[in-house]
Amino acid sequence: MTADEKPAAPLLKVDDLKVHFAAARRRPFAAAATVHAVDGISFEVARGRTLGIVGESGSGKTTAALAILRLVPITAGTIDLDGVRISALGGEALRQMRRRVQFVFQDPFSSLNPRQRAGAIVREPLDLMGIGSPAEREREVAALFRAVGLRPEQQALFPHQFSGGQRQRIGIARAIASRPDLVVCDEPVSALDVAIQAQILNLLTRLQQTLGLTYVFISHDLGVVRHMCDEIAVLYLGRIVERAARASFFRRPLHPYSAALLSAIPGAGLGRMRLEGDPPSPINLPPGCRFAGRCPFAIDACRQSDPPLRAVADGHLVACHRVDDEGTPPHHAGV
Amino acid sequence: MTLLDAGSGWQATGPAGMPEPPGSDEIAAGSAAARPLREAWRMFAGNPLALVGLAILAGIVVMTIIGPYLYPVDPFDIVGAPLTPPGEGGLLFGSDYLGRDMLAGIIHGGRASLTVGGFAAIITMAIGISIGALAGFYGGWADRVLMRVTEFFQVLPPLLLAMVLVTLFSPTLTTITLSIGVVSWTNVARLTRAEFLKIRSLDYVLAGRAVGARDRRLIWRVILPNALPPLVVAAALSVGVAILFESGLSFLGLGDPNVMSWGMMIGQNKQVMLDAWWPTTIPGAAIFAAVLSISLIGDGLNDALNPRLRRR
Ligand SMILES: Nc1ncnc2c1ncn2[C@@H]1O[C@H](COP(=O)(O)OP(=O)(O)OP(=O)(O)O)[C@@H](O)[C@H]1O
Ligand code: SF4
Ligand SMILES: [Mg+2]
């Protein structure tokens, strides 16, 4: 980027997004409880880049993704895509917006309609959003099949006639059919054999380069995230606890939770930190830091006040009381 | 960006996709499970009871369609002495308490019973599927209102309600069919709702919405086809139930007086039941055969369309 170029406005800007669900009542007449699945997250993604969202099961990754797609009701917060406030859209405007944001599902088996042929699945976005003439759509679907590594003749087959990896390719073809700006990938390879994961990741990378796609890439596998993402956000119980560029994050994870996740990867240069216990439930959240119950560095202050997400180094954000303003995390303080 | 220049973008990058190495990620296309419908038919045809049911029902249907031409006797005409036993006086099934030809009654009456059964089942399914689909898809207050209505219809005794409706609007085949349909959709509505609740949160429904499908398409083109197997079974069974209903109404004297039906034959001959067996037993056997064959078909469809059984 040259000096006189203004930094481009981010393609996607999420501000204080919250998605709460009403929890099923355990007993009749119990007070209605709320699941804080996503509880105030903010981030931006520049065009052509990839943001990785990592977090363990139940941290709210899928819910956040569905909220960006406007597939679950948003409780609070805003989402802007290319300057358009898509969190405020409804009806036909929302439907028209969908061609610009697409989704790749985690489960290649449940995400394809078993009664639709592969060709019809990929063609559906073009038909429903009125893209191109019928003849153009036909050519386009064949091109999409080739682009994701399938043969155009396979259009006539039903989903169950494909393997998991091939089904995921169909799902990817469907997602890029409408030429979206943003593709949200929700653990796109975690349901696949290890041998096939790399093929799908390479396909996603190649499509990003060819089509200039922007990705939000969700995973619980830090190895995959390191391979795919320019920036990383760590989600814990519906909150982002750390956000940083890839190099900075992997060189020096600041949040104790991130450090624990990274220490599980061999060769990350960190001593093994074992995480004790389970995260608290997103229904009864502790008043202070959500990680305090499992954090080896917790002090009384952690249990009383909720640490805000703040910038401690150049573009490196963390939500932890014990990271000092120079960006020294508690797990490095003694060294 | 137009499609065409997008399309040429693909060309510019050359063959973007490398086929996966064969073997690792390839399964044989055209396997046994290739065609769901053909596979279901194979299961169905492998079930002898279901085939017997199909044969009986086909026989009855053919009889009611072409029978009146082969045996053009008016079932209301008096053709012999009352209560002629079967086989005597040239009457294969004998005559009833007025001396009318029982065989003509069975042939013509079957037409009314099956027509009412078929159309009433269509109405049952149409009402039940519409209400169940809307309740299950939208949930919330729509679900609560529609399920209250369903419960209201469920607590009323259906035969009684049908009797009231038929007497209100003079009994004709049309009002009888409509009444039966209107009183018997509640189970179908519950079944449809349960299937919709199960399917509506599946990823492929979300995916449909994500690619721009409107509610109407999601309900009728995405969820309903996937909810169909149990509904096909329910449809078959509701034909049987509707035939029984029509017989019940006719038996009680609430049938269409101008159209012969099996139930009417039983109802009109019930007072001579102790003097002669055939005027009630023969139409009774016809109803029994029709309903039994339909329920055998329903059972066969249930097995054939149940994916868990099929996946072997
Ligand atoms: N529709 C819903 N109603 C109630 N609670 C929900 C709903 N969807 C998700 N949740 C809850 O919200 C929390 C976050 O769920 P989410 O699926 O977003 O997690 P995740 O990070 O994607 O987990 P995983 O790695 O297992 O996919 C969980 O506690 C989950 O039980
Ligand atoms: S705020 Fe306290 S409890 Fe939370 S991560 Fe930091 S040190 Fe651990
Ligand atoms: Mg998930």
Side-chain angles (χ1 to χ4, degrees):
Chain A
M1 187 185 298
T2 52
D4 51 29
E5 229 179 306
K6 273 189 291 180
L11 177 73
L12 175 71
K13 187 171 186 313
V14 173
D15 192 35
D16 202 25
L17 177 68
K18 293 184 184 168
V19 181
H20 296 174
F21 297 108
R25 291 169 201 217
R26 295 246 171 90
R27 292 166 283 125
F29 309 117
T34 305
V35 182
H36 301 81
V38 173
D39 204 20
I41 63 173
S42 306
F43 57 83
E44 298 172 354
V45 192
R47 193 179 278 278
R49 312 306 296 275
T50 302
L51 171 76
I53 298 183
V54 295
E56 63 201 319
S57 185
S59 55
K61 303 183 297 291
T62 298
T63 307
L66 294 177
I68 295 169
L69 272 285
R70 296 293 314 277
L71 292 173
V72 288
I74 295 170
T75 309
T78 59
I79 302 166
D80 298 285
L81 183 82
D82 212 6
V84 179
R85 173 122 324 168
I86 62 175
S87 52
L89 295 180
E92 187 60 18
L94 174 62
R95 204 180 76 83
Q96 289 298 335
M97 178 281 292
R98 296 194 181 286
R99 64 187 285 179
R100 304 193 56 194
V101 189
Q102 282 295 312
F103 196 56
V104 176
F105 288 83
Q106 169 171 14
D107 182 353
F109 289 88
S110 69
S111 58
L112 305 180
N113 184 346
R115 292 183 176 256
Q116 225 176 358
R117 291 173 198 276
I121 292 174
V122 174
R123 189 190 164 106
E124 200 172 22
L126 304 177
D127 287 338
L128 291 178
M129 297 188 262
I131 301 172
S133 69
E136 285 169 332
R137 288 176 203 163
E138 202 159 303
R139 275 200 300 278
E140 180 70 3
V141 172
L144 284 162
F145 266 66
R146 264 181 254 115
V148 298
L150 295 167
R151 281 175 284 115
E153 311 86 79
Q154 290 173 307
Q155 285 180 56
L157 302 179
F158 284 97
H160 70 262
Q161 292 170 279
F162 293 92
S163 66
Q166 290 173 322
R167 284 162 157 254
Q168 201 59 306
R169 289 173 191 268
I170 297 170
I172 292 169
R174 170 175 64 190
I176 61 172
S178 64
R179 293 311 148 90
D181 299 303
L182 176 72
V183 178
V184 180
C185 306
D186 184 11
E187 312 209 33
V189 297
S190 67
L192 303 178
D193 288 351
V194 179
I196 291 149
Q197 290 191 358
Q199 296 171 3
I200 298 293
L201 293 176
N202 288 340
L203 172 66
L204 286 171
T205 310
R206 195 164 56 224
L207 291 173
Q208 180 169 40
Q209 286 157 2
T210 327
L211 302 173
L213 296 173
T214 307
Y215 285 148
V216 170
F217 190 93
I218 293 170
S219 181
H220 58 253
D221 184 338
L222 278 170
V224 169
V225 165
R226 182 175 213 161
H227 176 68
M228 296 292 295
C229 305
D230 304 302
E231 208 190 342
I232 284 126
V234 179
L235 206 57
Y236 189 80
L237 276 179
R239 283 276 179 85
I240 292 179
V241 295
E242 180 163 4
R243 216 175 84 203
R246 167 175 52 189
S248 176
F249 180 81
F250 282 98
R251 185 172 355 101
R252 198 163 156 83
L254 295 184
H255 197 279
Y257 176 63
S258 314
L261 290 180
L262 268 175
S263 75
I265 306 182
L270 284 159
R272 182 99 173 94
M273 270 171 71
R274 192 170 274 288
L275 273 183
E276 307 276 327
D278 292 322
S281 91
I283 298 175
N284 301 310
L285 288 163
C289 174
R290 294 174 186 208
F291 188 52
R294 296 163 86 190
C295 180
F297 309 104
I299 53 174
D300 282 348
C302 302
R303 280 180 266 276
Q304 275 141 28
S305 77
D306 197 2
L309 188 67
R310 68 194 211 282
V312 291
D314 191 24
H316 200 137
L317 284 72
V318 66
C320 173
H321 289 307
R322 298 206 51 195
V323 178
D324 66 20
D325 290 341
E326 280 77 54
T328 312
H331 42 278
H332 278 265
V335 188
Chain B
M1 175 175 12
T2 74
L3 257 176
L4 281 181
D5 65 52
S8 57
W10 294 120
Q11 310 309 323
T13 57
M18 299 292 175
E20 289 169 4
S24 72
D25 196 23
E26 196 90 30
I27 58 160
S31 62
R35 301 207 135 261
L37 267 183
R38 194 177 298 171
E39 176 75 355
W41 167 248
R42 211 180 49 77
M43 280 283 297
F44 187 88
N47 180 341
L49 282 178
L51 287 182
V52 168
L54 195 61
I56 296 174
L57 186 66
I60 295 174
V61 168
V62 169
M63 172 194 85
T64 59
I65 291 173
I66 63 170
Y69 301 104
L70 299 181
Y71 194 76
V73 176
D74 188 325
F76 288 101
D77 279 357
I78 293 172
V79 295
L83 300 183
T84 309
E88 290 179 23
L91 298 170
L92 185 61
F93 286 170
S95 71
D96 72 353
Y97 79 111
L98 287 178
R100 300 179 297 194
D101 187 345
M102 292 285 301
L103 177 59
I106 291 293
I107 291 174
H108 290 258
R111 196 174 254 205
S113 293
L114 292 187
T115 313
V116 171
F119 280 101
I122 291 174
I123 295 171
T124 300
M125 296 308 292
I127 302 178
I129 288 178
S130 305
I131 291 193
L134 295 179
F137 183 80
Y138 287 105
W141 66 264
D143 183 29
R144 283 194 291 276
V145 169
L146 291 171
M147 282 301 108
R148 268 319 98 73
V149 174
T150 307
E151 276 157 24
F152 173 79
F153 275 89
Q154 214 161 18
V155 294
L156 295 171
L159 187 59
L160 201 63
L161 183 57
M163 286 167 63
V164 171
L165 288 173
V166 170
T167 19
L168 275 181
F169 309 97
S170 76
T172 65
L173 277 193
T174 314
T175 57
I176 293 169
T177 307
L178 286 170
S179 305
I180 296 174
V182 163
V183 300
S184 52
W185 53 267
T186 53
N187 285 335
V188 177
R190 295 193 160 276
L191 182 64
T192 310
R193 174 177 176 269
E195 287 296 309
F196 266 64
L197 280 178
K198 200 168 68 192
I199 297 172
R200 75 163 182 193
S201 56
L202 293 182
D203 283 351
Y204 61 76
V205 178
L206 280 181
R209 200 184 279 292
V211 298
R214 297 183 179 88
D215 289 355
R216 202 155 28 113
R217 181 180 175 88
L218 293 177
I219 293 174
W220 305 118
R221 304 290 299 278
V222 179
I223 304 182
L224 186 60
N226 285 289
L228 229 38
L231 293 176
V232 169
V233 178
L237 295 182
S238 75
V239 174
V241 170
I243 290 175
L244 286 176
F245 251 97
E246 191 277 335
S247 307
L249 287 172
S250 300
F251 176 84
L252 294 170
L254 292 170
D256 186 336
N258 304 313
V259 181
M260 183 57 72
S261 81
W262 294 339
M264 180 194 269
M265 294 170 79
I266 301 178
Q268 293 186 344
N269 286 296
K270 62 180 181 274
Q271 67 271 43
V272 296
M273 196 144 52
L274 296 179
D275 308 317
W277 59 269
W278 61 93
T280 46
T281 308
I282 291 177
I287 294 172
F288 178 76
V291 174
L292 178 73
S293 67
I294 289 167
S295 92
L296 289 176
I297 292 171
D299 280 352
L301 286 173
N302 193 25
D303 292 348
L305 295 172
N306 184 331
R308 257 181 310 147
L309 286 174
R310 202 164 68 215
R311 292 271 169 265
R312 278 179 301 153

